[in-house]
């Protein structure tokens, strides 16, 4: 399930980072955890990401098996992105990142007021 043309590293931590190491990929995962989103919704939520970069990240995540892209034969075409079971399985990792970030921000706030 690695990206096309790439072999995953032997180290499990490195393998995980290979799949989600980009800032945008983690934020895409965050935004898709609650459910399906359209391209425009993701772009708006992520803010400063370019359309080209977002498209590339979504394609890589699809190739890795983290999400599924559904194109509806409408005019204009409607494209939706949904996490796969594999993508959903990253929720505990994202939760841990959020918890750590909140704790770090609280500690950094304490240091700033000292």
């Amino acid at each position: 399930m690695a990206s096309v043309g790439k072999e995953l590293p032997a180290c499990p931590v490195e393998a995980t980072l290979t799949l989600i190491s980009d800032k945008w990929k983690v934020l895409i995962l965050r935004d898709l955890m609650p459910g399906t989103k359209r391209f425009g919704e993701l772009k708006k939520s992520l803010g400063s990401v370019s359309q080209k970069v977002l498209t590339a990240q979504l394609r890589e995540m699809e190739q890795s098996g983290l999400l599924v892209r559904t194109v509806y034969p409408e005019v204009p075409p409607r494209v939706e992105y949904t996490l796969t079971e594999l993508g959903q399985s990253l929720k505990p990792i994202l939760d841990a990142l959020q918890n750590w970030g909140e704790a770090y921000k609280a500690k950094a706030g304490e240091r700033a007021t000292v």
Side-chain angles (χ1 to χ4, degrees):
M1 287 239 175
S3 295
V4 175
K6 288 185 182 177
E7 192 169 316
L8 288 176
C11 171
V13 172
E14 190 177 351
T16 304
L17 288 174
T18 298
L19 294 174
I20 65 167
S21 63
D22 188 279
K23 166 187 170 181
W24 300 117
K25 288 179 183 171
V26 172
L27 296 178
I28 291 166
L29 287 167
R30 174 203 67 190
D31 287 354
L32 290 177
M33 278 297 161
T36 300
K37 295 239 183 333
R38 294 175 70 173
F39 184 89
E41 292 174 300
L42 288 170
K43 174 113 175 58
K44 184 177 180 181
S45 174
L46 297 174
S48 62
V49 67
S50 72
Q51 183 168 333
K52 179 181 177 180
V53 168
L54 179 55
T55 299
Q57 297 296 293
L58 289 166
R59 284 185 183 152
E60 286 179 22
M61 293 173 75
E62 183 180 16
Q63 290 171 352
S64 298
L66 298 177
L67 61 81
V68 92
R69 177 180 186 259
T70 306
V71 180
Y72 295 92
E74 302 171 352
V75 178
R78 178 171 47 116
V79 179
E80 293 181 341
Y81 296 90
T82 307
L83 290 179
T84 61
E85 189 175 322
L86 181 64
Q88 285 286 343
S89 72
L90 289 164
K91 186 172 182 355
I93 294 170
L94 294 181
D95 289 345
L97 286 170
Q98 179 178 354
N99 293 338
W100 188 91
E102 288 171 354
Y104 177 80
K105 286 174 67 174
K107 292 268 187 214
E110 289 172 12
R111 285 194 304 266
T113 59
V114 173

